[in-house]
C-alpha cells in the first residue's frame, strides 16, 4: 500500500512574532500617584527633632547621573529645569570633586526638609575616583562640607576636611546608589566590589539603601519616544532585575529615572518617576530616624 503523502503530516508554518517591547500594564504605577507623591515630598518634615534635614547620600560610578538627579529634583520642586549641581557630559572622569550639600529652597526664608550630598564618582581603577573609605566616613558624618577628595590618599582624623564633632544631622540617613541603566551589564568586577563595600558599611550602620537607574531613554528606544513608558519597558525591567541580582538591593528599592538634560520646560511624565523615587527615599529615611528614637 502506498504511503500517505508526507505533506499530510507536516505542520503548517507559523510566523512567531516577537513579544512587544512594552508590557500591557506598568509594573510600577507612578503617573496616577504623581500629585499625591509631590504633595508628600513638599510637606515632609522629620519627626525626629534632633535633625532639621533628612540627609541623602548619592554614590556610584562616574558619569552615572548623580549630579543630574539632584538637578532633576530641583527642577521638579521649582517647576522648571534647574542646574545648580554642575555636570559634564564629555569628561571621562568624575566632574564632582568636592563634598557638597544641596538644599532646596521653598522661598527666600525656608528650605525643604531634606538635603542631598553629592560625592566624587567611583572609577574602575584604584588610583582614580573617590575612595571607598572616604564614602564610609561620609556615611558616619566625618567629612566636612567642601572637602576635596583625593583619589590617592584617604581622609584621616587630624587632616583638614575631617569632622570630629558630629550630630545626628551630619550623618547620612539614606544611601542611594546611582547607576546608568545602559551600563548595568558592563559594570566591572572592581566597580561592583566598591559599591558592595559601601553597601555593607551602610548595612552595619542600619542606614536604608535604595538605587536609581538613570539614562533610561538612552537604554530603551520606547522610553526615548515616550517617557511614560519607563515602567512598561520589558528591557528596563530586565535591567532592574539584573541589578538586583548584582548588588542584592531589593526590587522594590530600585527605581528608574529620566533626568533633566536638554529639556527647557517642566515635564510631568519625567517628574512622576523622579518624585516616586524621592518619596521612597524620604519614607525610608524617616523610618530610620524614628527607629533611633525608640
Amino acid at each position: 500500500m502506498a504511503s500517505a503523502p508526507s505533506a499530510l503530516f507536516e505542520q503548517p508554518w507559523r510566523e512567531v512574532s516577537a513579544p512587544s517591547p512594552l508590557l500591557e500594564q506598568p509594573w510600577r504605577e507612578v503617573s496616577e500617584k504623581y500629585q499625591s507623591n509631590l504633595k508628600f515630598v513638599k510637606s515632609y518634615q522629620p519627626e525626629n527633632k534632633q535633625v532639621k534635614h533628612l540627609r541623602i547620600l548619592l554614590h556610584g560610578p562616574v558619569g552615572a547621573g548623580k549630579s543630574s538627579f539632584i538637578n532633576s529634583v530641583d527642577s521638579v520642586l521649582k517647576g522648571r529645569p534647574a542646574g545648580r549641581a554642575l555636570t559634564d557630559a564629555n569628561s571621562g572622569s568624575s566632574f564632582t570633586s568636592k563634598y557638597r550639600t544641596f538644599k532646596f529652597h521653598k522661598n527666600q526664608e525656608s528650605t525643604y526638609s531634606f538635603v542631598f550630598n553629592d560625592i566624587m564618582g567611583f572609577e574602575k581603577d584604584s588610583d582614580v575616583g573617590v575612595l571607598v573609605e572616604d564614602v564610609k566616613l561620609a556615611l558616619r558624618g566625618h567629612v566636612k562640607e567642601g572637602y576635596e577628595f583625593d583619589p590617592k590618599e584617604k581622609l584621616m582624623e587630624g587632616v583638614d576636611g575631617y569632622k570630629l564633632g558630629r550630630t545626628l544631622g551630619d550623618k547620612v540617613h539614606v544611601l542611594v546608589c546611582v547607576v546608568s541603566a545602559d551600563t548595568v551589564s558592563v559594570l566591572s568586577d572592581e566597580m561592583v566590589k566598591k559599591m558592595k563595600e559601601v553597601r555593607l558599611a551602610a548595612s552595619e550602620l542600619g542606614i536604608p539603601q535604595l538605587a536609581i537607574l538613570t539614562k533610561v531613554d538612552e537604554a530603551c528606544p520606547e522610553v526615548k519616544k515616550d517617557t511614560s513608558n519607563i515602567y512598561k519597558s520589558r528591557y528596563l525591567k530586565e535591567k532592574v532585575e539584573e541589578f538586583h541580582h548584582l548588588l542584592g538591593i531589593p526590587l522594590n528599592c530600585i527605581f528608574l529615572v529620566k533626568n533633566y538634560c536638554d529639556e527647557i520646560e517642566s515635564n510631568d511624565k519625567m517628574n512622576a518617576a523622579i518624585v516616586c523615587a524621592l518619596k521612597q527615599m524620604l519614607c525610608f529615611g524617616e523610618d530610620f530616624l524614628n527607629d533611633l528614637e525608640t
Side-chain angles (χ1 to χ4, degrees):
M1 184 169 67
S3 60
S6 59
L8 295 177
F9 297 95
E10 291 179 356
Q11 294 294 325
W13 181 81
R14 294 181 180 179
E15 182 178 355
V16 179
S17 58
S20 168
L22 296 177
L23 301 166
E24 289 187 12
Q25 298 295 328
W27 57 274
R28 179 176 289 151
E29 181 54 61
V30 294
S31 57
E32 290 183 3
K33 299 179 180 179
Y34 170 45
Q35 290 301 328
S36 62
N37 286 346
L38 184 60
K39 182 178 179 181
F40 175 90
V41 165
K42 287 187 171 184
S43 62
Y44 170 75
Q45 293 282 342
E47 290 185 8
N48 189 321
K49 301 308 177 185
Q50 296 181 63
V51 300
K52 185 178 179 181
H53 298 94
L54 185 144
R55 187 174 298 275
I56 304 167
L57 175 65
L58 305 180
H59 78 104
V62 58
K66 296 179 291 298
S67 300
S68 293
F69 181 71
I70 292 172
N71 287 337
S72 295
V73 169
D74 202 17
S75 299
V76 172
L77 297 174
K78 287 180 176 176
R80 60 167 176 79
R84 290 168 56 219
L86 298 180
T87 61
D88 182 10
N90 298 318
S91 175
S93 59
S94 182
F95 196 61
T96 299
S97 61
K98 296 182 178 180
Y99 191 65
R100 185 177 174 191
T101 300
F102 286 89
K103 298 179 180 179
F104 304 93
H105 291 271
K106 291 183 179 181
N107 49 52
Q108 291 183 339
E109 289 79 30
S110 64
T111 60
Y112 290 99
S113 298
F114 56 89
V115 298
F116 279 96
N117 276 109
D118 199 7
I119 201 167
M120 179 183 256
F122 287 130
E123 302 205 32
K124 61 180 180 180
D125 298 319
S126 58
D127 59 345
V128 289
V130 69
L131 298 174
V132 169
E133 293 305 315
D134 284 355
V135 182
K136 291 180 182 179
L137 287 177
L139 290 174
R140 299 194 294 271
H142 283 301
V143 181
K144 287 184 180 179
E145 182 74 9
Y147 171 71
E148 186 157 2
F149 294 100
D150 185 346
K152 296 182 174 60
E153 188 172 346
K154 66 181 180 180
L155 179 62
M156 299 180 66
E157 185 176 340
V159 175
D160 187 32
Y162 187 96
K163 181 183 289 188
L164 273 175
R166 302 161 299 145
T167 66
L168 178 58
D170 294 323
K171 300 176 183 179
V172 169
H173 311 131
V174 183
L175 176 69
V176 179
C177 182
V178 183
V179 173
S180 174
D182 58 355
T183 65
V184 171
S185 300
V186 294
L187 288 171
S188 67
D189 291 342
E190 181 65 23
M191 188 70 72
V192 173
K193 179 184 176 183
K194 290 179 179 180
M195 292 190 290
K196 282 186 173 180
E197 279 191 57
V198 174
R199 176 162 159 67
L200 178 60
S203 296
E204 290 174 349
L205 295 169
I207 299 172
Q209 302 159 51
L210 299 93
I212 52 176
L213 302 188
T214 61
K215 303 183 181 181
V216 291
D217 55 321
E218 296 180 19
C220 178
E222 298 299 325
V223 175
K224 193 174 187 67
K225 287 189 290 187
D226 185 349
T227 312
S228 63
N229 287 329
I230 283 181
Y231 285 106
K232 292 178 72 176
S233 167
R234 291 183 187 272
Y235 177 78
L236 291 178
K237 191 173 188 295
E238 290 173 2
K239 294 295 106 178
V240 168
E241 292 169 351
E242 184 178 350
F243 191 69
H244 155 69
H245 291 296
L246 196 64
L247 232 62
I249 297 176
L251 290 170
N252 65 349
C253 297
I254 305 175
F255 294 82
L256 298 168
V257 163
K258 161 73 170 80
N259 282 328
Y260 275 83
C261 180
D262 54 3
E263 292 77 14
I264 59 174
E265 299 289 343
S266 182
N267 185 319
D268 282 356
K269 292 179 180 179
M270 292 169 54
N271 294 351
I274 294 166
V275 171
C276 176
L278 178 56
K279 178 188 177 183
Q280 203 61 27
M281 295 174 196
L282 299 181
C283 288
F284 276 32
E286 179 68 9
D287 290 343
F288 172 69
L289 290 173
N290 288 341
D291 285 345
L292 295 178
E293 288 193 315
T294 57

